[in-house]
Amino acid sequence: NAGVMQNPRHLVRRRGQEARLRCSPMKGHSHVYWYRQLPEEGLKFMVYLQKENIIDESGMPKERFSAEFPKEGPSILRIQQVVRGDSAAYFCASSYRDEGEQFFGPGTRLTVL
Amino acid sequence: GESVGLHLPTLSVQEGDNSIINCAYSNSASDYFIWYKQESGKGPQFIIDIRSNMDKRQGQRVTVLLNKTVKHLSLQIAATQPGDSAVYFCAEIFTNDMRFGAGTRLTVKP
C-alpha cells in the first residue's frame, strides 16, 4: 500500500509563473490536507479538502492560491503569479476519516527565483 | 502568535542519554495530541499520540506526558540514538482543527 505521493519533489519557478503541486492520498483516504513549511518554522495549515469539496480553507492566502480535490485524480495546490515569499516546502497529508491520523507525503520544495 | 524567521530551538544530547523535548499548546479544548518526527528532506512521521483523558503514554523507547493544567506536552526518548536526530514537533487537535508547534531540532552526538 503506497503512502501519500507528492510530485514534483522539487519545483523551480520564476516570479510571475504558476506553480502546480500534486498530492495523491493513500489508497482509501478521502481527506486531504495541505500545509506550508517555511525554513526553520513549523507546519502551517492551509486547506482541508474532501473529494470535490473544500471543507476548511482558513489557512489559505486570499489571493493567488487555490486548491482542488477532484472526483478522479490527485489533489492540486495551485499558486498563480508566484513571488519569492512563496518559496517553501509544501506538504500534503491524507486521512481515512475527518478525525483520523494524518499521513504525510514527502513534500514539494518550491523555489521561486 | 506566529514565529517569523526564528531559528528552531535545539537540543543536543550524547548518544545513549535520554532526551526530553517540550511543547506548549494553545487550545485548552484540544483533546488529542500527536508527536511527529521530521528528518531532513522528508515529511513528518507519526511517533506517538495521546488523548486528553490520559496523562502518560508509552511506546517503544518513547513516552509522552500531558499536563493539561499548564497546557504542556513532552516527549521523552530513552537511550537516544544517532538515527533519532531530526526535528520533533507536537500537534494539537480539536475536532477538525490541527495545529503544529514550531518544532525542536534534536542532534545526537556519537
Side-chain angles (χ1 to χ4, degrees):
Chain A
N1 185 13
V4 178
M5 310 285 282
Q6 285 187 253
N7 68 82
R9 292 295 312 277
H10 299 275
L11 182 61
V12 179
R13 285 287 178 265
R14 296 191 179 278
R15 281 178 295 171
Q17 292 183 320
E18 178 179 287
R20 280 186 180 237
L21 288 62
R22 294 174 188 78
C23 170
S24 297
M26 285 181 69
K27 187 176 180 181
H29 287 191
S30 59
H31 302 259
V32 166
Y33 312 78
W34 283 95
Y35 298 88
R36 177 164 62 177
Q37 187 175 40
L38 295 170
E40 297 295 299
E41 292 189 19
L43 292 169
K44 296 290 193 295
F45 169 78
M46 298 181 75
V47 62
Y48 164 38
L49 310 102
Q50 291 182 34
K51 281 287 186 182
E52 300 185 276
N53 290 307
I54 296 175
I55 307 302
D56 179 357
E57 56 181 347
S58 58
M60 286 276 272
K62 294 286 185 288
E63 297 176 349
R64 301 188 298 108
F65 285 71
S66 62
E68 62 177 14
F69 188 17
K71 187 176 180 181
E72 300 291 336
S75 175
I76 306 286
L77 179 67
R78 185 179 172 208
I79 310 172
Q80 295 177 291
Q81 298 176 322
V82 295
V83 300
R84 289 221 174 104
D86 297 332
S87 295
Y90 292 82
F91 290 94
C92 96
S94 73
S95 67
Y96 177 69
R97 52 188 175 86
D98 60 6
E99 291 186 25
E101 179 192 340
Q102 295 183 25
F103 293 83
F104 283 83
T108 293
R109 187 163 301 280
L110 173 65
T111 301
V112 180
L113 302 177
Chain B
E2 295 189 2
S3 61
V4 180
L6 298 176
H7 291 293
L8 291 175
T10 58
L11 175 66
S12 185
V13 301
Q14 206 70 38
E15 182 178 356
D17 286 352
N18 297 333
S19 304
I20 300 176
I21 301 169
N22 297 305
C23 174
Y25 63 92
S26 57
N27 186 356
S28 57
S30 293
D31 54 6
Y32 181 47
F33 304 87
I34 303 174
W35 276 101
Y36 285 94
K37 172 186 180 183
Q38 187 177 18
E39 295 174 277
S40 181
K42 296 183 180 178
Q45 289 178 286
F46 174 95
I47 302 174
I48 191 168
D49 61 357
I50 188 168
R51 297 232 170 245
S52 59
N53 61 352
M54 304 171 67
D55 52 22
K56 180 179 180 179
R57 187 154 190 236
Q58 286 186 291
Q60 188 177 11
R61 282 202 308 120
V62 294
T63 301
V64 55
L65 299 177
L66 174 62
N67 185 332
K68 293 182 288 292
T69 304
V70 294
K71 293 190 287 186
H72 183 267
L73 203 63
S74 70
L75 176 71
Q76 299 178 3
I77 305 174
T80 314
Q81 302 168 1
D84 295 328
S85 293
V87 174
Y88 292 81
F89 51 92
C90 67
E92 57 175 310
I93 297 101
F94 175 63
T95 60
N96 289 330
D97 189 27
M98 185 173 186
R99 303 290 167 179
F100 295 88
T104 296
R105 185 182 304 281
L106 175 66
T107 302
V108 181
K109 295 178 287 188

